[in-house]
């Protein structure tokens, strides 16, 4: 196993490229900076990095074109940097197969956060995102934005169950059967108590309004 994750940055502005390289190296990545699209594409093909950061505006091959070519053969996470923040540019980037984009100017912390999200998504096929919520079933981890939310095993199972189908209302009885494995006494408020605990923990991480109460029926994840 590689000890450091590899990132290739393709950015023709050499000052920005060098600065990003230093900052990402500082964050623990092994980084290659290329100053043209052609050089970037061949470096990516040679090194097979864990993630690529592409500038949209390059003099030879633009970031969207590189993303399109990479997507023909690879599922590598791609983040595009762009000076434009308009709808047409966003659509072009998403159509090119990029996973995310960041409008310049941005803080390095923001790029690092996006990189972290993409790398986590690829670490397992069992990652689900609903708005700001990320569920990593294989690692049994939950994040709100970038912050981990520590749930008890039962709370985790309950939230995962509700997230199977965002928007669908799950009755208390369904929840009991599928999360607790049994019908609880009718007077039991154990589901409601667990929901309250999950909400409290999400709130501590800045997450509000994820779980909707459907009075007299049960709960749903807001879709
Ligand atoms: Ca540029």
């Amino acid at each position: 196993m590689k000890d450091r994750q590899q990132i290739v940055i393709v950015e023709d502005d050499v000052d920005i490229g060098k600065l990003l390289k230093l900052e990402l190296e500082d964050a623990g990545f092994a980084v290659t900076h290329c100053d043209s699209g052609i050089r970037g594409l061949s470096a990516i093909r040679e090194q097979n990095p864990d993630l690529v950061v592409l500038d949209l505006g390059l003099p030879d091959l633009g970031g969207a074109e590189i993303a399109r070519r990479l997507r023909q053969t690879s599922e590598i996470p791609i983040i595009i940097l762009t000076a434009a923040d308009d709808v047409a540019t966003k659509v072009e980037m998403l159509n090119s197969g990029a996973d995310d984009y960041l409008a310049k100017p941005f803080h390095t912390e923001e790029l690092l956060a996006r990189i972290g999200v993409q790398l986590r998504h690829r670490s397992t096929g069992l990652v689900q995102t609903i708005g700001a919520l990320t569920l990593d079933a294989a690692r049994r981890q939950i994040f709100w934005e970038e912050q981990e939310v520590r749930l008890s095993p039962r709370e985790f199972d309950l939230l995962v169950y509700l997230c199977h189908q965002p928007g669908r209302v799950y009755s208390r009885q369904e929840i009991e059967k599928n999360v607790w494995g049994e019908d609880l006494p009718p007077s039991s408020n154990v589901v409601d108590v667990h929901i309250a605990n999950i909400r409290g923990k999400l709130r501590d991480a800045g997450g509000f309004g994820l779980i909707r109460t459907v009075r007299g029926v049960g709960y749903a994840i807001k879709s």
Side-chain angles (χ1 to χ4, degrees), residues 61-206:
L61 282 180
E65 178 57 25
I66 297 175
R68 229 170 262 125
R69 294 195 189 187
L70 289 174
R71 272 293 166 266
Q72 291 169 4
T73 55
S74 158
E75 289 299 313
I76 186 170
I78 298 170
I79 297 175
I80 291 187
L81 306 177
T82 168
D85 196 12
D86 57 78
V87 173
T89 307
K90 288 176 196 174
V91 170
E92 185 198 359
M93 284 184 286
L94 293 176
N95 285 341
S96 75
D99 297 281
D100 202 355
Y101 74 93
L102 206 50
K104 295 176 182 176
F106 55 84
H107 290 286
T108 310
E109 289 74 25
E110 199 179 354
L111 178 60
L112 284 169
R114 307 284 182 99
I115 289 172
V117 168
Q118 292 304 325
L119 292 175
R120 268 207 303 283
H121 285 190
R122 302 309 165 102
S123 64
T124 160
L126 296 169
V127 173
Q128 184 186 6
T129 59
I130 300 167
L133 183 80
T134 302
L135 283 179
D136 186 335
R139 295 180 179 187
R140 294 186 68 83
Q141 282 180 311
I142 285 176
F143 297 85
W144 186 270
E145 307 276 0
E146 287 309 297
Q147 193 177 333
E148 185 169 5
V149 180
R150 296 189 182 279
L151 300 180
S152 74
R154 190 79 82 182
E155 290 162 1
F156 183 91
D157 291 341
L158 173 51
L159 187 57
V160 167
Y161 180 62
L162 294 177
C163 288
H164 279 324
Q165 243 181 288
R168 177 187 182 294
V169 181
Y170 290 88
S171 70
R172 278 189 188 71
Q173 210 184 0
E174 282 181 289
I175 293 169
E176 290 171 9
K177 199 168 283 170
N178 288 285
V179 179
W180 272 263
E182 56 184 326
D183 287 335
L184 302 166
S187 59
S188 168
N189 66 349
V190 70
V191 172
D192 308 272
V193 169
H194 278 72
I195 292 281
N197 289 341
I198 296 169
R199 281 178 170 151
K201 290 178 180 181
L202 287 170
R203 226 171 10 243
D204 290 343

Side-chain angles (χ1 to χ4, degrees), residues 11-13 55 57-58 104:
E11 165 63 86
D12 61 320
D13 183 320
D55 183 28
L58 295 165
K104 295 176 182 176

Side-chain angles (χ1 to χ4, degrees), residues 26-86:
D26 208 40
F29 295 103
V31 182
T32 302
H33 168 230
C34 304
D35 60 5
S36 84
I38 299 285
R39 274 193 282 276
L41 201 54
S42 61
I44 293 162
R45 289 191 167 140
E46 268 166 36
Q47 296 182 15
N48 189 24
D50 297 283
L51 181 143
V52 297
V53 176
L54 304 173
D55 183 28
L56 184 67
L58 295 165
D60 50 355
L61 282 180
E65 178 57 25
I66 297 175
R68 229 170 262 125
R69 294 195 189 187
L70 289 174
R71 272 293 166 266
Q72 291 169 4
T73 55
S74 158
E75 289 299 313
I76 186 170
I78 298 170
I79 297 175
I80 291 187
L81 306 177
T82 168
D85 196 12
D86 57 78

